[in-house]
Each structure stands twice: as structure tokens, then as C-alpha cells.
Amino acid sequence: MKKKKILSIDDEENIRLLLSCELEDEGYEVISLGNPLQAMKMIEDEQPDIIILDIKMPQLSGIELLKMIRDKYYDLPVILLSAYSTFKRDVAAMASDYYVVKSADLNELKKLIKKIFKTHL
Amino acid sequence: MGKSALNDEALEILNTIARADILVGIPSYNNEKTIGHVAEAIKLGLAKYYPTAKAVLFNSDGGSDDQTRMVFERIARTNSYDTFFIKEPQFPLKTVSSQYIGIPGKGSAFKAIFEAAQMLGVKACAVLDSDLRSITPEWIQLLLEPVLAKGYGYVCPFYRRYKYDGTITNSIAYPFTRALYGRRVRQPIGGDFGFSGKLLKLYLNQDAWDTDVTRFGIDIWMTTTAIVNGFKICQSFMGAKIHDVKDPGADLGPMFIQVVGTIFSLMSTYGSHWQKVVGSRPTAILGFQSETAPKPLNVNVSRMITKFTEGISSHKSSYQQIFSEQVFTKLMEVAEMSGDNIDFPKTLWAKVVFDYAVFYQTAQDHQRVLQSLIPLYYGFISSFVHETENLDDYQAEEIIEELCQIYEDSKPYLIEQWQQNKS
């Protein structure tokens, strides 16, 4: 069976590495991107099944990118990641499937990814 | 489609107009104080954002005995564009105010609007409540542009609302619709919607125009029909909703019965659809988002608790019939402990709603069944108020999100009860 593809977008290299290692161990194919400005092109080229998106990035905020993704890809699952729980106050975050506060423990994130793949509308 | 909701006078005017690109409808009943503001905002919005479109503003009235229709016609026909620095549109706005034919209610008013829009062959249509105070001309673009420019079929409003405004939405309409049909539409009964000509046609072809849909059930029926039929849906950020709010402990009875009754009825219509749905997906939010402060609303908790405890004693035998033993026992425990600080667990509330939804399908007297759910709703809302009294609107929103997750996680229980009831 074809592996599910996850696109991780984060400007911090150590976070990208952590996500890649942990999620590849779970059996997913993970592609990473440090520059959110290249995200739309990469989504078009790679056609990921899920996007994990950091919120605070210098070139473009994850919330802005989420709006662009939603505009073009109606149902592409997106999980927002942030070190700050205050981002939940931004209503635009509600257009993501889930939002997770960054932590070294990725269990919550892994559970949500599984949940999304089980979701059937 | 049944009998037309348009009267002869309206039909004659619409025949004269013949074609239009856009129609915006306002249902009304004794709204003389607010309809002028709504009509003005729509008129300006149409001129500002659609200056070259052929537009119609249609007031569908339920037989107001005040000056509603006169105020509408006066405001809609006054040339006030220059006052608001907006150029006159290329085609003068056509306005129609008409008393609809049919069962009195919002849904019948909408039916007349839909029929008018279909007659004129519009590309997009919007409906807006006549008691809105926070409407601006931008709302017109927010409801119509996703349809006209982005190919959406249905546009729902996304408001900032005070934590105790919209309690039927927060406790049932939003979490239950989301769990059933898998689409997160935060204001499924928001009252202000935009939709395509294609969806309009589907609405008019549905065989539902002699049910609670003709009254307050119309909003949830429109949203559910759009979701189930796979129309592309978005939410437009409209800012704060300021309207004629009501204390959830007062006056919400008929609305509660019509909205919840429609949700339960639609479960039967779309049974094979919702039972396959697992989880939920978000819905895009369009529009410029700004900080807005909704108007606070005073809630009389002690009145709701009294209605809850009185309801528990008067409907106890019904509850024994409706609920599983486990749910009934837990409910009695909640009732026994309910002082001022009532704690109605969210998992229990979700099961209460689910058990009612199942029982409703075979009940003879739907009205009576739903009436007996109202005290429990008051109990749950009292508990929600208690839990959120020291929280701001954002934090209260997280509690609602938690409730939604509980509805979704408890859905296997609903499916099990539903299938047992059918066999």
C-alpha cells in the first residue's frame, strides 16, 4: 500500500528533523520545507495527504498560508503547530483540522494524524 | 415544490423585472425599527460591490401590522448613495415588498424569496435577517462574492457572538450537525446566508415545504441540505452579530422545537449518509478578520435551574421511557445535586440529545417529545454558564470545541441506538 505523504512546513530545522524522524517511524513519507513561500508550489508538485504547518515563520505566517491553502485545496487536511497557545484566539485557525501546541512529545500529533486518516465524510 | 409562496402582485412585478444577476432577500415580521437599517446597508453594498449587476432587493413579509413594509420601501427607494460616497449603480436597484403566502414563519418567507430568485434566474442569492443592527454594506460582498468569484455553493456567516448568545447553536445545532454530517460550520443557523442559483433550485425541488422548515427550521435545513448534497461551503467573517438577542431562559421554546425537530427529522431523511461519516472537517473562513466585541447578554440562571428541576419532576416518566437506564440514572443524579452550581456533564448531554433523536423517530407526538427536552436544555445551559462565567468569549469557545469533540466521540453510541431502534 502506498505510504501516506505528510508535508511539514517549519522554519526551524530541528523541528523539521524531529517531525521527519518520528513520523517516518510511524510509516509515513515525510517531506519538509523551511520556506513557506514555496509551499503552494510544493503542494501542487507533491500532493501531500496532510500538511503540518508551523504558525510563526518569518517569511509568511502559518495562518496566512492556511488561508491560501484553503482557497485552493478545499479539503486538504492541515494541522497547525505553535509554541504559543494564544494562537487559538485567531479565528482563522479554525479553518485548520486541528491545532497543537508544540512539544517534544509528539503523541498528540500522531493521534490526530491517525484520526484524520480515519475521518470519512 | 407545492403551492407558490408568491402572491399575484409580486409575480406581476417579478415578471416585469424579468431577469436579474443577484437577489437579496429580507424576511420580516413587525420589524419597523430595524428593517430600514438592513435595507439601507444592502442597497449600499449592492451599489458598492456590484455596480454593474442587475440586482433585486426583495422583502418577504409575514403580514406585519406595523410599518415594516413602508419603512422598507421608503429606505430601499431613497437615493442615498452620494451621502455614503458610493456611486449610483449602472442599473437602478429593483425593490419588491410582498406578503408571502403560506404557513406563517421564516421558512415560508424564504420560500417566496427563493421562488423570486429562481424566476429571475439569478447567479447568486443572499438572505439577511431583518433585526440586524451590526450589518454593514460589506456583508453583501462577504455573502455573495464567494459564490460569484470562488465557486462556492453555500456561504455561512462566521460571527463573533457573546458567549451566551446562540445557546441552541452552541449546545445542539453546531456540535450535532458537525458530528452527524462531518462538516464544521460554526453558525449553521446564523440567519444570514449566500448561495448559488444551483443550490437555490435544489432547495425549491425538495419535498420539505410543509414541515418545520417553513418556520425556524429553515436555517438548519438549508445548511444540512447543502452539506449532504456536496456543495462547496465556506464561512465569511462578518464581525460581531448584534441583533435582538434573547435570554436563553426566555422565549426560545418555539425556536428550540422547530430547530431541533428539523435536525431530528433530517436524520431520518439522511440516515444512510450520516451513519457513514466519521470525524469532521473544517470549513474555510474568508473575509478580513478584526477584533470585535459582541454585546454582553444577561442570563437568568436561577430561572433556567427552576425550569430544569420542575421539568425533571413533571417529565420523569417520559425520561424513563426515552433514556437508557444508565443515562436516566445519571440524569437523576445531576438533578438531585442541582443547586445554583449545577454540573451537567457534557458526555451526558450528548447522550441525552442522541437518545432523544432516536426516540423522536418513532414518537407519535413530536411536539410533546421536544417540549420535554427543553428543561434538560435549560439544565445544560445553566451548567455551561456556570462553567464559563469567569471565562472570556475565546475561552468559552474552547469549551464548545470540547463539547463538539464529545459529540463526535460519542457517535458510535448514537449509531448503535439508532440501529437498535430500526431493527
Side-chain angles (χ1 to χ4, degrees):
Chain A
M1 202 171 74
K2 202 181 153 202
K3 279 184 179 177
K4 296 281 186 191
K5 197 187 281 186
I6 296 175
L7 170 60
S8 150
I9 306 171
D10 200 306
D11 61 312
E12 288 180 62
E13 196 181 356
N14 54 349
I15 300 286
R16 294 201 302 273
L17 281 172
L18 174 72
L19 288 175
S20 289
C21 292
E22 292 266 345
L23 296 175
E24 277 168 6
D25 282 353
E26 295 288 309
Y28 302 115
E29 180 187 345
V30 182
I31 40 175
S32 300
L33 182 67
N35 182 356
L37 295 173
Q38 294 164 359
M40 296 307 286
K41 171 86 171 67
M42 188 162 243
I43 295 167
E44 198 180 331
D45 293 346
E46 296 288 343
Q47 302 200 347
D49 298 297
I50 286 189
I51 295 175
I52 298 171
L53 183 57
D54 181 31
I55 291 190
K56 208 171 176 189
M57 294 183 283
Q59 304 95 327
L60 179 69
S61 89
I63 296 280
E64 285 308 311
L65 183 53
L66 173 64
K67 285 180 192 166
M68 292 159 71
I69 294 169
R70 278 279 164 268
D71 196 34
K72 195 161 180 199
Y73 302 96
Y74 182 61
D75 255 342
L76 180 56
V78 177
I79 297 176
L80 287 176
L81 274 186
S82 177
Y84 313 96
S85 60
T86 47
F87 73 88
K88 292 178 184 173
R89 290 181 169 246
D90 188 334
V91 293
M94 287 178 78
S96 67
D97 285 72
Y98 298 102
Y99 27 79
V100 180
V101 177
K102 271 184 190 172
S103 142
D105 178 4
L106 296 183
N107 279 334
E108 191 190 353
L109 180 65
K110 288 175 190 171
K111 257 197 266 175
L112 292 174
I113 292 170
K114 279 188 187 147
K115 196 171 176 179
I116 287 173
F117 286 131
K118 272 191 205 160
T119 299
H120 174 77
L121 303 190
Chain B
M1 192 166 80
K3 203 178 166 219
S4 175
L6 291 167
N7 65 27
D8 291 343
E9 190 194 352
L11 285 167
E12 202 181 314
I13 300 169
L14 292 165
N15 274 323
T16 314
I17 298 171
R19 299 291 298 172
D21 301 312
I22 293 167
L23 183 140
V24 179
I26 315 174
S28 65
Y29 181 67
N30 289 342
N31 299 108
E32 65 178 7
K33 288 183 182 154
T34 50
I35 197 167
H37 175 67
V38 176
E40 180 94 290
I42 296 170
K43 182 183 73 177
L44 296 172
L46 287 167
K48 185 174 177 181
Y49 295 103
Y50 304 101
T52 59
K54 288 184 177 170
V56 175
L57 179 52
F58 190 100
N59 168 222
S60 184
D61 188 72
S64 297
D65 45 28
D66 65 0
Q67 303 290 307
T68 298
R69 288 180 61 188
M70 277 178 64
V71 172
F72 168 83
E73 298 210 11
R74 179 171 50 81
I75 297 291
R77 288 177 183 167
T78 305
N79 186 335
S80 56
Y81 299 111
D82 193 45
T83 317
F84 295 96
F85 316 112
I86 293 171
K87 283 187 183 164
E88 274 190 54
Q90 185 180 342
F91 301 101
L93 176 68
K94 305 283 185 189
T95 61
V96 186
S97 177
S98 160
Q99 187 175 333
Y100 61 78
I101 299 168
I103 300 164
K106 187 178 175 183
S108 297
F110 273 28
K111 190 181 180 212
I113 293 167
F114 296 171
E115 287 180 15
Q118 193 177 43
M119 263 183 82
L120 299 172
V122 301
K123 294 177 198 131
C125 181
V127 282
L128 290 119
D129 278 344
S130 49
D131 66 344
L132 288 166
R133 292 162 205 276
S134 52
I135 183 174
T136 65
E138 282 63 45
W139 282 33
I140 297 307
Q141 186 195 32
L142 290 165
L143 292 176
L144 293 172
E145 199 64 6
V147 175
L148 293 166
K150 301 266 179 191
Y152 284 97
Y154 190 58
V155 187
C156 286
F158 190 101
Y159 307 113
R160 277 254 166 262
R161 295 178 86 167
Y162 184 62
K163 58 188 174 181
Y164 306 140
D165 179 21
T167 45
I168 298 174
T169 297
N170 295 344
S171 62
I172 302 188
Y174 172 49
F176 200 18
T177 303
R178 168 175 159 169
L180 284 172
Y181 304 104
R183 183 61 62 187
R184 298 176 203 165
V185 176
R186 185 62 188 86
Q187 299 293 337
I189 54 171
D192 312 305
F193 303 104
F195 40 93
S196 65
K198 196 176 160 194
L199 182 53
L200 179 73
K201 197 173 168 189
L202 178 77
Y203 284 151
L204 284 171
N205 286 335
Q206 298 291 300
D207 184 22
W209 293 106
D210 54 356
T211 63
D212 270 346
V213 161
T214 54
R215 295 178 282 182
F216 281 120
I218 184 72
D219 292 0
I220 195 66
W221 177 83
M222 285 170 68
T223 303
T224 306
T225 305
I227 297 172
V228 174
N229 287 281
F231 280 83
K232 205 174 154 193
I233 298 173
C234 70
Q235 307 173 95
S236 276
F237 187 82
M238 325 284 278
K241 178 164 185 164
I242 300 169
H243 63 135
D244 293 342
V245 288
K246 291 188 180 88
D247 175 346
D251 286 337
L252 290 178
M255 185 180 177
F256 180 91
I257 286 173
Q258 290 156 29
V259 170
V260 178
T262 304
I263 296 173
F264 289 173
S265 298
L266 287 167
M267 286 176 74
S268 174
T269 312
Y270 297 122
S272 58
H273 180 96
W274 66 259
Q275 286 181 76
K276 290 184 211 144
V277 172
V278 178
S280 68
R281 298 301 321 281
T283 305
I285 303 171
L286 311 179
F288 188 77
Q289 286 149 36
S290 55
E291 279 292 322
T292 45
K295 209 169 147 189
L297 158 71
N298 287 325
V299 186
N300 189 336
V301 176
S302 53
R303 180 166 54 188
M304 287 196 288
I305 291 176
T306 305
K307 286 181 177 178
F308 171 62
T309 46
E310 283 173 2
I312 287 280
S313 40
S314 57
H315 298 294
K316 201 170 178 176
S317 58
S318 300
Y319 295 152
Q320 259 173 320
Q321 207 187 342
I322 293 166
F323 297 128
S324 64
E325 199 184 327
Q326 180 206 11
V327 171
F328 179 77
T329 308
K330 189 75 192 160
L331 184 64
M332 291 305 119
E333 280 172 25
V334 171
E336 274 166 31
M337 289 188 293
S338 66
D340 286 346
N341 297 337
I342 182 170
D343 178 14
F344 198 126
K346 296 182 192 72
T347 42
L348 177 64
W349 172 244
K351 285 186 176 172
V352 162
V353 174
F354 290 174
D355 281 353
Y356 259 90
V358 171
F359 186 80
Y360 178 92
Q361 308 304 322
T362 48
Q364 298 294 316
D365 188 344
H366 286 160
Q367 189 87 3
R368 209 170 144 201
V369 170
L370 292 167
Q371 201 76 46
S372 69
L373 176 57
I374 295 176
L376 306 184
Y377 160 76
Y378 286 135
F380 179 71
I381 297 302
S382 307
S383 175
F384 175 76
V385 171
H386 174 57
E387 186 179 0
T388 56
E389 61 190 340
N390 296 319
L391 305 183
D392 63 24
D393 292 342
Y394 295 99
Q395 291 164 324
E397 190 62 35
E398 288 188 31
I399 303 291
I400 294 164
E401 177 60 28
E402 193 189 313
L403 177 66
C404 290
Q405 285 301 327
I406 289 168
Y407 266 81
E408 284 183 27
D409 295 344
S410 310
K411 193 171 171 184
Y413 172 84
L414 170 65
I415 294 174
E416 193 187 313
Q417 300 297 316
W418 183 271
Q419 289 175 349
Q420 269 176 21
N421 191 51
K422 292 275 169 189
S423 60

